[in-house]
Amino acid sequence: MKLITNRVYGAEDILPADVYKWQFVEDVMRGEAMSYGFKEIRTPVFEHTELFNRSVGDTTDIVQKEMYTFDTKGGDSISLKPEGTAGAARAMLEHGIYNDGYPIKVYYLTACYRYEKKNFGRQREFHQFGMEIYGAASPFADAEVMCAANSVFQRLDVKNISLEINSIGCPECRPKYTAALREYFTSHEEELCDTCRSRLQRNPMRILDCKSPVCSEIAKNAPKVLDYLCDDCNKHFDEVKSCLDAAGIAYKVNPTIVRGLDYYTRTVFEFVAPEIGTVCGGGRYDGLIEELGGQHTPSLGFGMGIERLLLLLKTQNIEIPAPPSCDLYVIGLGDKAKLRALRLVQEVRNASLIAECDIVGRTLKAQMKYANKIKSRFLIVIGDSELEKGSATLKDMETGKEIPISIGDGFFDEFISAYVSVDHDEEDIPLNF
Ligand code: ATP
Ligand code: MG
């Protein structure tokens, strides 16, 4: 077979055999978000480029190098979302959701696009689960988003994941720190990479985030932001730590975390796993909403990479429960029997159980093979004599047990009683029986 084209570099297909893993972790994410009182928000996959320039920040790698930006036929510059916060914040403002009162607590599951080199846990199209709170200055809000992310890891039984936190100050204290950083890095200007040299004047904090080995070596001895925090930022950071202690969440202060997005203020944090690096990153962005044209609205959130989380589960051999398989396969031999088979599977499907019959014209033998392949728990074969009698044999494919079953009006009740008499997870049994 010669396909006309393959998938785009850096994008992945999620195939039917694997999708249950995604659905499982997404269900956990939705469940945790709901436990914390967050509602889902869905925003478009693209936005006006200006939104990301203003929010993510035009000195960041994301905006400078990684964004998928294009002009529409109408001449507008549009970008695929590289992260989830900007769109959510824009939507909140555009629809005046803040009129309903603060805090606004939203979560999202979204595809993101960054023009990066494909690598372990790094793709050009990837997916994020994120949570955001708008209108909450209290350190309890910082703790709440960290606890929520932590709950997702706990629910999934992830081991060895550590929460690292830092504070990067506010517009009050940051300039002093930025000046100290500029002075320090200027003394190493010759050694810095080209990108970092250009960052020196505009945003020297970005240099701390540079992945080049030379720059990160120099960054190790750079002034530490925690030494420059103003009293209010110090107090806030201390209170965040007290809240995390009270919630029983372990953390480590890591003064080198600065995060790759410009909009962060005060608290920044990462959940880091030794096997994989950062799985979740977030923090406070008190200036973002003003930057987008809204009123001053202290806000915060995180983004968690779903591909990275799945890789982590895999490296830790954490098993994701297999999806339910077929409950009943009905084979009809002959035109009339085939129609009866269809009627029976419909009755079972109406009860939200899984049932199949042939749709490709397979022989009896091939259908038996198929029923085994899809791991159908029960099997019924209907031929002329079964049609005549109005009853057939229900075979339990796991135990081999065979019991007579009506294929007329009594079918559904008899099937359900056979179904509930065998082992099932409780949640698989339809509620109305
Ligand atoms: P990194 O330092 O790994 O590039 P980042 O600081 O750019 O991460 P964020 O913008 O904070 O990442 O995004 C939050 C999370 O999204 C990351 O912790 C990671 O799990 C995931 N993520 C970011 N970029 C990618 C990508 N290209 N492919 C897959 N997942 C990604
Ligand atoms: Mg990155």
Side-chain angles (χ1 to χ4, degrees):
M1 182 177 70
K2 184 148 172 23
L3 260 184
I4 58 154
T5 174
N6 289 340
R7 64 187 185 277
V8 172
Y9 174 88
E12 291 298 333
D13 299 306
I14 303 162
L15 299 175
D18 293 322
V19 79
Y20 74 95
K21 300 175 191 162
W22 283 78
Q23 291 166 334
F24 184 81
V25 300
E26 285 166 3
D27 283 351
V28 166
M29 289 162 170
R30 287 179 197 283
E32 287 311 310
M34 276 161 65
S35 292
Y36 282 80
F38 286 63
K39 294 213 171 79
E40 185 174 351
I41 187 163
R42 298 186 189 191
T43 63
V45 77
F46 48 30
E47 297 279 353
H48 293 288
T49 303
E50 194 188 353
L51 178 73
F52 301 118
N53 290 349
R54 288 290 285 273
S55 59
V56 176
D58 52 14
T59 60
T60 57
D61 273 0
I62 293 180
V63 167
Q64 285 192 339
K65 304 184 197 161
E66 300 172 0
M67 221 146 63
Y68 280 87
T69 298
F70 54 94
D71 288 336
T72 64
K73 286 183 183 145
D76 292 328
S77 178
I78 299 275
S79 296
L80 299 185
K81 56 163 104 159
E83 51 87 64
T85 297
R90 194 257 322 129
M92 187 270 296
L93 288 171
E94 185 170 341
H95 298 279
I97 296 173
Y98 50 84
N99 289 324
D100 300 340
Y102 289 123
I104 297 164
K105 309 207 291 188
V106 297
Y107 75 93
Y108 57 80
L109 285 153
T110 184
C112 297
Y113 300 85
R114 295 186 193 175
Y115 197 78
E116 295 197 80
K117 204 165 172 341
K118 194 172 136 183
N119 213 328
F120 184 66
R122 196 173 292 286
Q123 295 173 193
R124 290 188 170 174
E125 183 189 63
F126 65 100
H127 298 80
Q128 275 190 356
F129 163 63
M131 292 175 83
E132 319 261 325
I133 303 180
Y134 304 104
S138 153
F140 279 79
D142 303 52
E144 180 157 305
V145 292
M146 288 186 249
C147 289
N150 189 64
S151 295
V152 170
F153 295 123
Q154 283 204 324
R155 276 261 182 264
L156 292 168
D157 258 344
V158 174
K159 317 275 178 322
N160 295 330
I161 186 135
S162 47
L163 168 59
E164 302 190 354
I165 65 171
N166 192 22
S167 173
I168 55 170
C170 65
E172 191 81 3
C173 48
R174 182 97 53 85
K176 266 190 246 137
Y177 177 59
T178 310
L181 269 185
R182 190 171 289 127
E183 196 183 320
Y184 171 79
F185 283 123
T186 303
S187 66
H188 293 276
E189 191 169 352
E190 300 297 296
E191 302 148 71
L192 295 176
C193 72
D194 288 349
T195 319
C196 282
R197 231 173 288 147
S198 75
R199 287 164 169 157
L200 203 49
Q201 287 316 314
R202 294 174 72 196
N203 196 346
M205 242 169 77
R206 291 271 68 79
I207 304 175
L208 298 172
D209 230 12
C210 181
K211 294 196 171 74
S212 115
V214 178
C215 298
S216 38
E217 197 51 40
I218 298 169
K220 274 189 190 150
N221 296 319
K224 300 285 178 286
V225 64
L226 290 178
D227 298 330
Y228 289 81
L229 296 187
C230 62
D231 290 349
D232 283 350
C233 286
N234 255 322
K235 183 166 171 277
H236 185 88
F237 195 45
D238 284 342
E239 287 170 350
V240 169
K241 289 185 273 184
S242 304
C243 289
L244 290 173
D245 291 336
I249 308 275
Y251 60 87
K252 192 165 82 192
V253 174
N254 176 353
T256 65
I257 300 177
V258 291
R259 309 291 315 131
L261 289 70
D262 264 0
Y263 52 55
Y264 286 104
T265 49
R266 291 193 167 169
T267 315
V268 287
F269 63 89
E270 290 182 354
F271 282 84
V272 187
E275 300 96 332
I276 226 151
T278 308
V279 182
C280 170
R284 186 168 266 291
Y285 30 85
D286 289 348
L288 173 67
I289 301 301
E290 260 170 310
E291 189 65 36
L292 298 182
Q295 306 258 323
H296 178 67
T297 309
S299 305
L300 67 165
F302 67 76
M304 188 183 289
I306 304 182
E307 281 83 358
R308 276 194 211 173
L309 178 60
L310 285 165
L311 271 177
L312 183 60
L313 297 180
K314 195 170 165 205
T315 51
Q316 297 194 354
N317 293 320
I318 294 171
E319 231 172 89
I320 295 176
S325 56
C326 187
D327 296 304
L328 175 68
Y329 189 88
V330 186
I331 299 176
L333 304 171
D335 292 346
K336 257 186 157 173
K338 280 184 184 158
L339 292 173
R340 180 64 64 91
L342 173 58
R343 196 177 102 190
L344 300 188
V345 295
Q346 279 306 109
E347 285 190 43
V348 171
R349 289 167 175 168
N350 287 343
S352 300
L353 295 179
I354 306 172
E356 288 195 54
C357 61
D358 181 52
I359 52 168
V360 290
R362 286 192 169 102
T363 62
L364 169 65
K365 203 170 143 209
Q367 286 193 58
M368 295 286 237
K369 220 167 136 190
Y370 179 76
N372 271 318
K373 188 178 138 196
I374 62 170
K375 296 194 176 73
S376 183
R377 177 70 198 242
F378 292 102
L379 176 79
I380 296 175
V381 180
I382 304 172
D384 288 343
S385 71
E386 281 79 11
L387 274 181
E388 218 164 274
K389 278 187 295 180
S391 73
T393 303
L394 179 72
K395 181 167 180 184
D396 183 333
M397 305 280 276
E398 218 170 285
T399 63
K401 195 175 151 197
E402 297 188 349
I403 53 167
I405 187 164
S406 159
I407 53 168
D409 290 344
F411 163 73
F412 184 68
D413 290 344
E414 288 179 34
F415 175 72
I416 290 298
S417 63
Y419 176 86
V420 297
S421 73
V422 299
D423 260 359
H424 290 292
D425 290 338
E426 223 157 73
E427 65 263 28
D428 289 342
I429 297 178
L431 284 181
N432 39 341
F433 302 106

